[in-house]
Amino acid sequence: MDEQLLDGVRQAAELAKLDLTEAESESLVSQVAMMLSYVRILDDLDLENIEGTSHVRTFAQPLRDDKVVQGMTKPDGLRNSPAGDEDFFIVPGIMSED
Amino acid sequence: MKGEVMDLPDDYEVVIGLEVHVQLKTKSKMFCACSTNFGDSPNSHVCPVCLGMPGALPVLNREAVKLGLMLGLATNSRIRRRSRFARKNYFYPDLPRGYQITQFDEPLCEHGSLRIGMGEGEKVVGITRIHLEDDAGKNVHDPQTGRTYVDFNRCGIGLAEIVSEPDMRSPQDAYLYMREIHSLVTYLGISDGNMEQGNLRCDANVSLRKKGEQAFGTRTEVKNINSFRFVKHALEYEVGRQLDVLRAGGRVVQETRMFDSHRGVTVPMRTKEEASDYRYFPEPDLMYLEVTDQMMQEAKAALVELPGERKRRFMREYGLFPRECEALVASKDLADYYEAVVRASGDPKRSAGMVLTELLGALNKDSLDIMQSPIKPGDIAAIVKALASGRLSSKMAKKVFAQAYGGQPVQRLLKEIGSKVVDQEQIAKWVDEVIAAHPDEVRRYKAGKQGLMAFFVGQVMKASRGKADPGITNRILKERLG
């Protein structure tokens, strides 16, 4: 068992708010290891003299004028809320208000 | 600037850096067209983009970029012609997307500075960076039901985050810095800058180091500072707390602390509220942001005279005290009002006194701001002119002001008083009579007998039966006798 990877899996699970059992974490270690080794193929590429990019598109983003357009109606917006009243999304209590 | 300044320790040096969030005054949100209007019914300004629905794509607001550029130019920052957005991931109910769109390694502005204080206390605070990002929604916790209510009207509104260098050396510095940012953003119309309403927010990094040491001490981050008063209170408490720890031989723990304004203390934030791993990565939904020459020109054209410049100009041109300049430029409206009075009266000194003491005093008493003033700049100027010419004593000027403030027409008040008070012209007449009647004394005075001035003043007073103002009499006599 790759302990370092196991720690990584546990940390990722915590950040994703996933409750994994120990067995699930361990089974994910081999899956994550497979993903990493697949992505490692990129290391074989010769990237000498190639400038780094962070987007597949190489032109500037278009901008929008500052105009208000009515979005969704409130009932539509709240429709996907797992719990709510007619004004708010309601979630399990957080520890303090922001 | 009320309240006393804390005594700084003589064995340790205080190091403070601030992260200030400025809510940008745009009509629509940063990445979608929903309204930014404050105080509307909860969740009435939402759409698939700000609710984080799958497939909804952000499109950046041109005006938000312009406001960010203005802030960069006003702080002499270097503007990055190509900047980039990044995702900052964290899990919290006020953020439906699960990440904030912000800028990370390629912010819009870098390497700027801001001058704080005046005169001897003046110093320059470095600005590390200014970047654009979007705001989160508002959580309202209900302790009765133990549930949290979320309103996304604020979610997605544009923010500029201004990160300072750790250049402040006292809570007072931090307070002055926040004040400066406030007047800057309100002058430029970038933000309403209201700390209580949350459109100006600040987090502070605080540490102490032994005097003379180069390396910084361990810092804490203080959050939840939501008024100008609290900037000082929170930081004074935190500095005192760290000082106690260090002097007792302990070590400061690096942590995030919340300011509890009710108790006036900072307390460690519970670990659950801390997101330590933001996993920043380039925002794949947005290509790079390009600032064109035209955008730069537009931002430059929108800059007005900044409060710092205006303060220094008031000192230079009008010969005011630093304290007076500071007070007059505190808001652009007040500074504009004052300059309107000066234009009409031609007397900057007396105008400053009248505006700062009489007008602001009366307005504060009635909880009005300068825009709601019942008295116009031209009327104040008329009182100032009457005061300068000697038609009004300063005591009477106060009285006329109070009556004019109460709604009575200034010109009528001055006319009524004019008939009772001896004006300059009348005094000049008496002076001429006295000079004509005493050619001998005039000759001796001109030959160097300065002491005779008192004699002339006395004669004028006698002629006026005590009604002439001695100061003005003196001045006119000196003019006439050369």
Side-chain angles (χ1 to χ4, degrees):
Chain A
M1 179 66 55
D2 183 336
E3 288 297 326
Q4 204 187 341
L5 207 49
L6 182 60
D7 280 347
V9 166
R10 285 189 184 126
Q11 200 200 348
E14 195 180 318
L15 288 166
K17 310 288 165 192
L18 292 175
D19 252 338
L20 298 184
T21 63
E22 214 32 38
E24 283 169 329
S25 296
E26 280 167 20
S27 78
L28 277 168
V29 167
S30 58
Q31 293 177 37
V32 171
M34 263 166 63
M35 289 180 221
L36 289 176
S37 70
Y38 177 69
V39 172
R40 219 164 271 135
I41 294 173
L42 294 174
D43 287 345
D44 298 338
L45 295 173
D46 178 13
L47 299 179
E48 196 80 14
N49 302 323
I50 295 188
E51 210 186 317
T53 53
S54 60
H55 203 281
V56 289
R57 297 292 195 171
T58 52
F59 52 87
Q61 60 174 295
L63 301 176
R64 176 176 62 79
D65 287 338
D66 186 23
K67 282 199 191 110
V68 175
V69 178
Q70 174 65 40
M72 301 165 91
T73 61
K74 190 194 298 213
D76 269 351
L78 288 166
R79 188 176 295 162
N80 287 323
S81 169
D85 57 16
E86 53 208 42
D87 279 323
F88 289 97
F89 291 83
I90 299 177
V91 297
I94 53 166
M95 297 174 89
S96 78
E97 54 186 272
D98 66 327
Chain B
M1 245 169 298
K2 280 180 229 146
E4 65 283 11
V5 176
M6 85 179 288
D7 288 330
L8 292 171
D10 42 26
D11 47 349
Y12 282 92
E13 184 176 42
V14 178
V15 177
I16 298 172
L18 293 182
E19 289 167 19
V20 179
H21 286 91
V22 179
Q23 201 176 74
L24 299 173
K25 207 168 158 180
T26 53
K27 294 187 196 77
S28 65
K29 293 185 179 179
M30 187 73 129
F31 295 111
C32 62
C34 290
S35 167
T36 57
N37 210 33
F38 181 78
D40 287 344
S41 136
N43 293 302
S44 56
H45 303 314
V46 293
C47 77
V49 174
C50 56
L51 284 182
M53 293 188 177
L57 289 172
V59 187
L60 181 57
N61 186 338
R62 183 188 307 277
E63 181 70 10
V65 178
K66 179 179 161 190
L67 299 182
L69 288 174
M70 286 166 67
L71 203 48
L73 291 169
T75 51
N76 297 310
S77 301
R78 193 169 70 79
I79 307 290
R80 202 187 269 274
R81 288 305 192 99
R82 275 190 183 193
S83 68
R84 203 176 298 280
F85 286 89
R87 289 188 181 181
K88 178 182 179 178
N89 298 277
Y90 67 92
F91 194 82
Y92 212 54
D94 59 12
L95 194 68
R97 270 194 309 249
Y99 56 87
Q100 180 186 33
I101 302 181
T102 179
Q103 298 191 293
F104 186 53
D105 51 353
E106 296 172 61
L108 185 63
C109 320
E110 286 172 297
H111 313 303
S113 63
L114 193 63
R115 281 209 236 183
I116 62 168
M118 279 195 90
E120 278 181 29
E122 183 175 292
K123 62 160 78 176
V124 175
V125 175
I127 305 243
T128 316
R129 54 187 279 147
I130 301 173
H131 65 252
L132 300 176
E133 58 187 28
D134 64 350
D135 208 347
K138 187 129 189 74
N139 292 329
V140 183
H141 187 62
D142 181 0
Q144 303 246 286
T145 60
R147 297 191 299 183
T148 294
Y149 293 74
V150 195
D151 173 8
F152 290 117
N153 280 353
R154 197 181 69 181
C155 186
I157 293 183
L159 300 174
E161 180 174 342
I162 308 170
V163 182
S164 88
E165 291 288 308
D167 285 348
M168 286 159 271
R169 291 290 170 269
S170 66
Q172 175 70 10
D173 278 357
Y175 172 80
L176 290 175
Y177 176 84
M178 276 310 281
R179 277 278 168 210
E180 200 61 51
I181 296 257
H182 175 266
S183 44
L184 195 65
V185 299
T186 49
Y187 259 67
L188 294 175
I190 287 173
S191 173
D192 289 328
N194 188 325
M195 281 195 89
E196 282 78 5
Q197 274 181 17
N199 38 51
L200 188 62
R201 286 169 247 161
C202 108
D203 301 331
N205 289 307
V206 186
S207 66
L208 298 182
R209 64 179 165 195
K210 265 250 160 65
K211 282 236 163 118
E213 249 169 51
Q214 287 296 305
F216 291 124
T218 306
R219 66 183 164 82
T220 58
E221 186 179 359
V222 181
K223 287 184 176 286
N224 201 34
I225 303 174
N226 51 18
S227 86
F228 285 106
R229 216 154 34 92
F230 295 163
V231 174
K232 252 200 278 193
H233 288 183
L235 295 182
E236 283 175 2
Y237 175 84
E238 183 58 17
V239 166
R241 188 191 68 84
Q242 291 190 16
L243 202 57
D244 288 346
V245 171
L246 292 170
R247 281 180 178 162
R251 284 167 55 187
V252 172
V253 180
Q254 182 166 350
E255 61 186 351
T256 303
R257 300 176 68 91
M258 296 274 286
F259 179 59
D260 179 340
S261 58
H262 296 293
R263 294 190 291 145
V265 300
T266 65
V267 290
M269 238 158 104
R270 277 156 291 202
T271 38
K272 201 185 165 190
E273 294 161 12
E274 248 178 304
S276 52
D277 188 351
Y278 291 131
R279 292 152 294 153
Y280 282 98
F281 62 86
E283 167 57 85
D285 286 344
L286 293 168
M287 287 155 282
Y288 63 83
L289 166 61
E290 180 165 53
V291 175
T292 62
D293 290 345
Q294 198 198 334
M295 287 162 79
M296 280 296 267
Q297 275 157 20
E298 280 172 15
K300 273 182 193 154
L303 291 179
V304 294
E305 185 184 29
L306 300 173
E309 293 166 16
R310 201 169 194 180
K311 227 161 27 187
R312 281 176 271 278
R313 179 167 64 81
F314 278 15
M315 257 172 98
R316 204 173 55 236
E317 270 179 29
Y318 300 147
L320 303 181
F321 294 117
R323 192 169 21 84
E324 293 175 312
C325 302
E326 197 91 52
L328 286 169
V329 304
S331 90
K332 182 171 182 293
D333 292 335
L334 177 61
D336 287 347
Y337 186 103
Y338 165 71
E339 292 215 89
V341 176
V342 173
R343 273 194 300 276
S345 72
D347 191 332
K349 261 307 213 197
R350 286 194 179 83
S351 297
M354 211 59 193
V355 168
L356 287 174
T357 313
E358 303 309 324
L359 180 60
L360 280 193
L363 291 173
N364 284 343
K365 215 155 106 195
D366 295 342
S367 302
L368 297 176
D369 70 37
I370 190 74
M371 296 304 273
Q372 299 164 303
S373 167
I375 180 166
K376 299 266 166 307
D379 293 338
I380 301 256
I383 300 175
V384 167
K385 274 161 100 173
L387 183 65
S389 72
R391 284 177 64 203
L392 288 183
S393 66
S394 57
K395 204 169 146 195
M396 285 163 89
K398 275 184 207 289
K399 210 166 131 192
V400 171
F401 169 83
Q403 286 171 323
Y405 183 87
Q408 298 189 44
V410 171
Q411 292 310 334
R412 207 196 68 214
L413 289 166
L414 290 176
K415 220 176 196 170
E416 282 169 11
I417 286 167
S419 59
K420 289 185 220 143
V421 177
V422 179
D423 69 12
Q424 217 164 319
E425 275 171 47
Q426 179 59 53
I427 297 175
K429 233 184 242 165
W430 285 318
V431 167
D432 290 340
E433 283 168 19
V434 167
I435 288 174
H438 300 88
D440 215 32
E441 283 81 359
V442 170
R443 196 172 33 77
R444 278 159 58 207
Y445 175 86
K446 285 188 172 164
K449 198 120 174 53
Q450 302 280 318
L452 277 169
M453 182 51 84
F455 165 80
F456 293 123
V457 174
Q459 289 300 310
V460 174
M461 295 309 278
K462 204 166 131 192
S464 74
R465 271 166 295 161
K467 279 192 284 181
D469 181 298
I472 296 164
T473 305
N474 222 301
R475 181 166 55 76
I476 299 175
L477 272 165
K478 278 196 179 132
E479 280 167 18
R480 295 290 205 272
L481 295 170

